Amino acid sequence: MTSDAPVRVALLGCGTVGSEVVRLLEDQAGDLTARVGAPVELAGVAVRRPHRHPELNPDLVTTDASALVTRDDVDVVVEVVGGIEPARTLLLQAIKSGKSVVTANKALLAEDGATLAEAADAAGVDLYYEASVAGAIPLLRPLRESLAGDRITRVAGIVNGTTNFILSAMSASGAGYAEALEEATRLGYAEADPTADVDGYDAASKAAILATIAFHTRVTAADVHCEGIRRVTAADIAAARGLGCAIKLLAICERVPGSGGAPESVSARVYPAMIPLSHPLAGVDGAFNAVFVEADAAGQLMFYGQGAGGAPTASAVLGDLVAVARNRVAGGRGPRESAYASLPVLPIGDVHTRYHVSLEVADRAGVLSAVAGEFARRGVSIAAVRQTGGREDGDVPEAEAAEEELAARLVVVTHGAPDSALHATVEALAGLDVVRGVESVLRVEGLGRPVSTLGVAG
Ligand code: HSE
């Protein structure tokens, strides 16, 4: 299907991503026309400070975004500004005026995607947002369209490049968190205020979007349990390596089967976790993203690529723009997400996880039993225990007098148990006389790999 009438595009924001969108629209105008079946033209660009954009045609530039998104000669609004407001108001204005929307705004979608989706349904327009999760990686469309006939059971991955860069740097050089963050900032991977990345909020927004699409259930950022990487230490990384694991900040979206009268539910969570080095996600280093998808019929799938940056993100935006423009030319809408399943979201305390706990303990009789007792009391089964340091076999009996001064490190890896039971166990351990300190607590995720792939004696 072709049309002589152009598809006219309003662009909101012309920063790192927006300027690449403009470049691609100009550089590939001929190809885009052929692929869409109609010319795709820039109708206007809304920016806050026009003087910072001498590269743009001044006739296209405006500071009045609200007027631009409702203009009669605009068909599609592309939003790459980010943040909740004014983006939400502008996109709702656009949708209500009959414009289709392409957005990269993960925070808005994770907070209030339902309002946008409902407005788009009511207006009969498209709402596309491939660029909101994992930059250039085609992920949302495969989940929503290619796997629409399957039953997705898990979507788990590395969806934040900044934190993956930091954890990779810590692993490669033995550096601590602060040093690795400094390097990430110096090289431009971390922003001046890295809070959204290092505290996991960016990944949590992406997890909400992924879970919503994968499980046909509305999941918001507030539903996602979120822990960042600030407390990951060089010792944690070394401990992980000792177990044959890497530490990654994971976004995990899982379908949790119902049991004992409880209905099927979903879990969406973000935290740093140990994963076996044999898992494909463990080899994803630097600022790259990768997402591992499991579905009943398809089995295991892996999506890998650049999750941030101007050109990679613009690639995803242009892909959406072409799809939306094609739909316009054909006179219809594309497939959209649905939330018909409405599954409950499981609180983190009820999610089964596994812990790796490293304790500094007194090296004397009964310590192991006291520690093991706290796990047993809460129904947590231990998978492996390893002790290092402490008294050597050859120590002379005189050393007995100084026994209280001797310390050892006890590492415990658990089997799966409710996170609340694991959390309570760690709190109780911290209060034991024989425990001098809880050095590290990290979750362990097999992600479909059997426990035996961890380098610990079971
Ligand atoms: N700041 C994000 C990251 C990219 O580090 O991956 C945008 O979501």
Side-chain angles (χ1 to χ4, degrees), residues 263-419:
E264 184 182 41
S265 57
V266 302
S267 162
R269 53 198 201 267
V270 168
Y271 45 61
M274 293 186 181
I275 55 173
L277 287 171
S278 59
H279 196 283
L281 288 174
V284 176
D285 284 327
F288 279 85
N289 284 193
V291 177
F292 198 70
V293 177
E294 291 167 73
D296 278 351
Q300 298 180 327
L301 306 162
M302 174 100 158
F303 298 80
Y304 171 85
Q306 297 192 67
T313 309
S315 164
V317 169
L318 261 288
D320 277 355
L321 183 53
V322 167
V324 165
R326 282 174 174 158
N327 295 340
R328 289 245 150 195
V329 170
R333 299 178 69 194
R336 59 195 195 281
E337 76 205 32
S338 65
Y340 71 88
S342 279
L343 298 173
V345 180
L346 208 57
I348 183 68
D350 295 345
V351 175
H352 273 236
T353 61
R354 301 177 60 205
Y355 274 26
H356 167 279
V357 184
S358 174
L359 305 168
E360 191 188 324
V361 295
D363 187 16
R364 64 172 136 95
V367 171
L368 195 54
S369 144
V371 167
E374 295 301 335
F375 285 91
R377 231 184 300 290
R378 291 164 187 84
V380 177
S381 172
I382 292 173
V385 179
R386 180 190 290 165
Q387 180 178 322
T388 53
R391 191 148 43 117
E392 296 296 323
D393 279 348
D395 282 352
V396 289
E398 286 76 5
E400 297 286 323
E403 193 175 21
E404 286 295 330
E405 302 310 313
L406 288 171
R409 175 172 299 117
L410 204 55
V411 173
V412 180
V413 181
T414 74
H415 284 300
D419 200 86

Side-chain angles (χ1 to χ4, degrees), residues 106 159-162 197 202 206 308:
K106 59 200 166 268
V159 293
N160 183 270
T162 305
D197 293 315
D202 175 83
K206 293 166 179 169

Side-chain angles (χ1 to χ4, degrees), residues 231-252:
R231 285 187 296 182
V232 177
T233 64
D236 290 335
I237 304 266
R241 189 169 299 130
L243 287 173
C245 290
I247 298 178
K248 296 291 180 188
L249 182 72
L250 297 177
I252 302 172

Side-chain angles (χ1 to χ4, degrees), residues 27-311:
D27 289 359
Q28 305 190 149
D31 286 322
L32 291 174
T33 301
R35 291 172 198 171
V36 168
V40 181
E41 289 179 5
L42 204 52
V45 185
V47 295
R48 263 188 297 235
R49 289 177 281 267
H51 64 275
R52 292 200 179 171
H53 300 280
E55 78 286 2
L56 294 174
N57 175 351
D59 294 340
L60 296 180
V61 177
T62 176
T63 54
D64 191 347
S66 178
L68 177 63
V69 301
T70 52
R71 246 168 55 185
D72 286 344
D73 65 333
V74 166
D75 302 302
V76 182
V77 172
V78 172
E79 185 260 322
V80 286
V81 179
I84 307 298
E85 288 294 349
R88 171 169 42 198
T89 301
L90 291 169
L91 294 188
L92 287 173
Q93 276 181 321
I95 289 168
K96 283 173 187 157
S97 306
K99 325 297 184 198
S100 289
V101 162
V102 173
T103 175
N105 194 331
K106 59 200 166 268
L108 175 57
L109 290 158
E111 179 168 308
D112 204 8
T115 301
L116 293 178
E118 282 158 21
D121 283 348
V125 299
D126 282 325
L127 171 65
Y128 276 45
Y129 45 89
E130 183 67 64
S132 64
V133 181
I137 305 172
L139 180 60
L140 303 190
R141 202 162 309 149
L143 291 177
R144 184 168 41 204
E145 297 179 32
S146 317
L147 292 168
D150 208 334
R151 185 171 177 277
I152 296 170
T153 51
R154 184 190 286 135
V155 180
I158 297 162
V159 293
N160 183 270
T162 305
T163 46
N164 203 49
F165 180 90
I166 292 170
L167 293 173
S168 302
M170 289 173 75
S171 177
S173 68
Y177 167 76
E179 198 185 326
L181 171 60
E182 211 174 282
E183 189 189 358
T185 310
R186 187 169 47 79
L187 296 175
Y189 289 107
E191 294 182 28
D193 177 3
T195 308
D197 293 315
V198 300
D199 288 336
Y201 304 133
D202 175 83
S205 292
K206 293 166 179 169
I209 295 168
L210 290 171
T212 296
I213 296 177
F215 306 129
H216 304 276
T217 288
R218 184 61 63 186
V219 177
T220 68
D223 296 321
V224 181
H225 174 80
C226 176
E227 296 171 28
I229 65 163
R230 283 185 204 262
R231 285 187 296 182
V232 177
T233 64
D236 290 335
I237 304 266
R241 189 169 299 130
L243 287 173
C245 290
I247 298 178
K248 296 291 180 188
L249 182 72
L250 297 177
I252 302 172
C253 310
E254 270 175 347
R255 194 185 280 277
V256 182
S259 72
E264 184 182 41
S265 57
V266 302
S267 162
R269 53 198 201 267
V270 168
Y271 45 61
M274 293 186 181
I275 55 173
L277 287 171
S278 59
H279 196 283
L281 288 174
V284 176
D285 284 327
F288 279 85
N289 284 193
V291 177
F292 198 70
V293 177
E294 291 167 73
D296 278 351
Q300 298 180 327
L301 306 162
M302 174 100 158
F303 298 80
Y304 171 85
Q306 297 192 67

